[in-house]
Amino acid sequence: MNIELRHLRYFIAVAEELHFGRAAARLSISQPPLSQQIQILEQQVGARLFARTNRSVSLTPAGEQFLIDSRQILARVEEAAARAARLHQGETGELRLGFTSSAPFIRAVSVTLSRFRRQYPDVHIHTLESSTREQIAPLSEGRLDLGLMRKTALPETLMHRVIRHEPLLATVHRDHPLAERASVTLGELVAEPLVFFDPHGGTGLYDDILGLLRPHGTPVIAQEVGEAMTILGLVSAGLGISILPASFMRVQLNEVRWLPIADKEAVSEMWLVWSKHHELSQAALRFREQLLLAATVDIFE
């Protein structure tokens, strides 16, 4: 059996017109080739599809059933083509996105996610919250499309773009002696008991911030926890001070004061990272384009 889609289209035209001349005109072909193709189709099917007389054309019972099935087949083909086109254009499919706990607090990230969801509601976004170092393996292996992470050493398999240079701020309890200051320095902060990240948590902020403090003395780490939100909770309880990216200011706690750090090097970078060797889906490419544009234009600050 060698039935082609054009045979189905020819058959449907004749079945709907019940006239070979009108069907041929509709298909923009001449009548003899159309009649020949219908005969070939009937031979392939092994059944007579039309009852023909000199005056009329009608469907046989086999033809009536074949018409139902032919319409369904062509509809399924058109649906399959449309789905493939939408997937190729990034309108469907999935986006596998890794991010650190601080990434959603950056407006460029949150606004891009919201806009992307509105524009492409049929793209399924898989999110994985994980530390900077925990994202490296799944990005390298192609299990994540994109990763949002803090500055860190990357293997040669990955590449990145900086989407935000973000000020680091001191966060202190409202009753702390530094709370009413307009700004503080790293030298002043290094002597304070620090509520900070667990060194085994894999966050890029750990190395960044301790590296900034060490030239000014040995940091005194009073508490080590896994998440930034826990750090803020402990600072609000008066168990120490901390240093966090400015994006966390979106978390408002009455007991906490945020202080600018005067040292110009007190900055953290948020990176968008992807693999050099795994091809990104169109959905991932569209998201990357939107986020990088937001970062370049800097319209969300």
Side-chain angles (χ1 to χ4, degrees), residues 89-101:
Q89 294 163 7
E91 297 175 1
T92 62
E94 64 178 16
L95 168 64
R96 301 168 299 173
L97 180 65
F99 59 89
T100 64
S101 60

Side-chain angles (χ1 to χ4, degrees), residues 14-162:
V14 176
E16 291 177 348
E17 298 292 342
L18 292 177
H19 190 283
F20 277 83
R22 289 195 299 269
R26 171 174 156 180
L27 294 166
S28 299
I29 61 175
S30 60
Q31 183 174 333
L34 176 60
S35 298
Q36 184 181 25
Q37 291 300 318
I38 294 298
Q39 291 174 2
I40 292 172
L41 176 62
E42 289 178 320
Q43 292 171 3
Q44 292 289 324
V45 172
R48 192 161 60 96
L49 303 176
F50 293 104
R52 306 170 181 82
T53 69
N54 291 334
R55 296 183 177 182
S56 67
V57 175
S58 61
L59 285 167
T60 66
E64 290 176 354
Q65 181 59 54
F66 196 71
L67 177 60
I68 294 171
D69 294 335
S70 296
R71 285 170 170 162
Q72 291 177 347
I73 290 168
L74 287 184
R76 291 293 302 275
V77 170
E78 291 171 0
E79 290 168 2
R83 284 195 296 269
R86 294 188 70 206
L87 183 63
H88 175 71
Q89 294 163 7
E91 297 175 1
T92 62
E94 64 178 16
L95 168 64
R96 301 168 299 173
L97 180 65
F99 59 89
T100 64
S101 60
S102 58
F105 292 100
I106 295 176
R107 277 190 55 83
V109 174
S110 61
V111 173
T112 300
L113 276 168
S114 178
R115 177 179 296 169
F116 188 85
R117 165 55 62 224
R118 292 194 304 271
Q119 290 179 338
Y120 306 107
D122 294 328
V123 174
H124 184 63
I125 302 177
H126 297 274
T127 58
L128 174 66
E129 181 183 349
S130 54
S131 69
T132 290
R133 289 198 289 271
E134 288 171 342
Q135 293 184 51
I136 291 175
L139 283 166
S140 297
E141 296 164 5
R143 291 184 283 118
L144 284 176
D145 298 312
L146 301 168
L148 287 160
M149 63 178 69
R150 295 289 169 177
K151 177 180 178 181
T152 191
L154 293 177
E156 292 184 357
T157 55
L158 300 180
M159 60 192 307
H160 78 281
R161 289 275 298 275
V162 178

Side-chain angles (χ1 to χ4, degrees), residues 224-296:
E224 291 180 343
V225 298
E227 301 292 337
M229 297 302 293
T230 309
I231 289 176
L232 287 171
L234 295 180
V235 170
S236 71
L239 297 188
I241 65 103
S242 194
I243 300 173
L244 290 172
S247 52
F248 279 109
M249 286 184 68
R250 296 177 73 180
V251 180
Q252 295 295 321
L253 296 174
N254 291 333
E255 298 85 357
V256 171
R257 297 291 180 268
W258 295 89
L259 306 175
I261 299 175
D263 307 69
K264 63 180 181 180
E265 66 270 24
V267 174
S268 177
E269 294 180 356
M270 177 62 71
W271 289 1
L272 180 63
V273 181
W274 61 92
S275 171
K276 294 179 181 178
H277 306 302
H278 293 277
E279 184 177 357
L280 291 177
S281 67
Q282 285 297 315
L285 288 171
R286 285 180 181 272
F287 183 85
R288 185 181 69 179
E289 178 184 6
Q290 289 190 11
L291 183 53
L292 292 179
L293 178 62
T296 300

Side-chain angles (χ1 to χ4, degrees), residues 151-227:
K151 177 180 178 181
T152 191
L154 293 177
E156 292 184 357
T157 55
L158 300 180
M159 60 192 307
H160 78 281
R161 289 275 298 275
V162 178
I163 65 165
R164 176 79 186 272
H165 291 90
E166 187 174 15
L168 291 170
L169 302 179
T171 176
V172 304
H173 190 273
R174 64 184 179 187
D175 294 331
H176 192 281
L178 296 174
E180 300 304 321
R181 294 276 299 275
S183 66
V184 293
T185 66
L186 292 171
E188 292 172 310
L189 296 174
V190 74
E192 297 289 336
L194 186 66
V195 181
F196 206 48
F197 294 100
D198 183 336
H200 305 295
T203 176
L205 287 172
Y206 182 89
D207 294 331
D208 261 3
I209 295 173
L210 287 189
L212 290 171
L213 289 173
R214 285 193 182 106
H216 302 275
T218 302
V220 180
I221 299 179
Q223 305 286 333
E224 291 180 343
V225 298
E227 301 292 337

